Amino acid sequence: MTDMKTTANKSGNPFKILKMINGEDVICKIAEEYVDAFVVEYPMSVVKNQVVENEHNIVEHTGLQRWMNYTLDTAFVIPKERIMSLGDLAPDVVVYYKHIRKRLQLEEQYTPQDEESAVKEMRKNIDRLMALMDDGVDLPENAIKFAGDKTKIH
């Protein structure tokens, strides 16, 4: 009997790319595996943007963005039935993923962790904006002075 190759979910490498059944590519670290689901950390969607460099050249840039916005959670459960396939990340992609993940962790240090902290931060930002909009501030020459009602911010 011949030896079968190790599959990606049994390789021991926790850094994976998941091809979801909706066609989305998700890069993540698999923290735990259950019979019917994976627990993944810092999942990120692969996004592609086309940039026109000049009239004869269009370049496609590939990047990563948060897979799920508007949450501070870093671990998510993904049912295996929602995954079409998975594979080990290439080493260079692992390096890029870890770099982006580290930047997200740094951002989290400065993100309010509760509603009260978020409100305080918003008030502080509004106060800073009001101070900038005050007539007594020296604005750069290229700045346009705000002529509207400074008490209303939308």
Side-chain angles (χ1 to χ4, degrees):
M1 189 160 146
T2 61
D3 290 333
M4 294 182 69
K5 285 188 173 185
T6 302
T7 59
N9 64 330
K10 300 293 183 198
S11 71
N13 178 0
F15 299 101
K16 306 290 184 196
I17 182 162
L18 310 177
K19 177 61 98 173
M20 308 302 289
I21 62 172
N22 66 359
E24 186 177 33
D25 291 322
V26 177
I27 290 177
C28 62
K29 178 181 179 186
I30 295 185
E32 297 179 53
E33 180 177 0
Y34 295 96
V35 174
D36 60 343
F38 289 110
V39 176
V40 300
E41 294 177 345
Y42 289 97
M44 295 183 211
S45 296
V46 176
V47 290
K48 295 180 181 182
N49 296 311
Q50 290 188 345
V51 177
V52 179
E53 277 193 344
N54 57 47
E55 61 185 81
H56 303 293
N57 197 19
I58 298 175
V59 178
E60 185 171 84
H61 293 278
T62 303
L64 299 176
Q65 71 180 20
R66 291 177 192 267
W67 182 58
M68 191 176 299
N69 294 308
Y70 312 112
T71 180
L72 297 178
D73 295 344
T74 59
F76 301 89
V77 176
I78 299 179
K80 288 182 177 178
E81 65 189 25
R82 307 299 299 162
I83 301 169
M84 188 171 14
S85 186
L86 74 148
D88 288 338
L89 279 182
D92 55 335
V93 180
V94 171
V95 170
Y96 180 61
Y97 169 78
K98 285 180 175 181
H99 172 74
I100 299 297
R101 182 177 162 157
K102 202 173 282 185
R103 283 184 47 211
L104 289 174
Q105 289 169 329
L106 285 173
E107 280 180 25
E108 288 170 6
Q109 292 176 1
Y110 301 104
T111 302
Q113 299 298 309
D114 56 44
E115 195 174 332
E116 185 179 327
S117 299
V119 170
K120 282 181 185 177
E121 191 67 29
M122 284 182 205
R123 285 191 178 132
K124 191 168 79 175
N125 289 336
I126 289 170
D127 291 343
R128 285 185 19 226
L129 280 171
M130 293 302 288
L132 286 172
M133 293 176 6
D134 189 21
D135 292 336
V137 174
D138 292 332
L139 295 174
E141 289 179 28
N142 62 347
I144 299 170
K145 219 169 189 182
F146 181 71
D149 182 357
K150 297 177 187 175
T151 63
K152 295 184 176 139
I153 299 175
H154 313 243

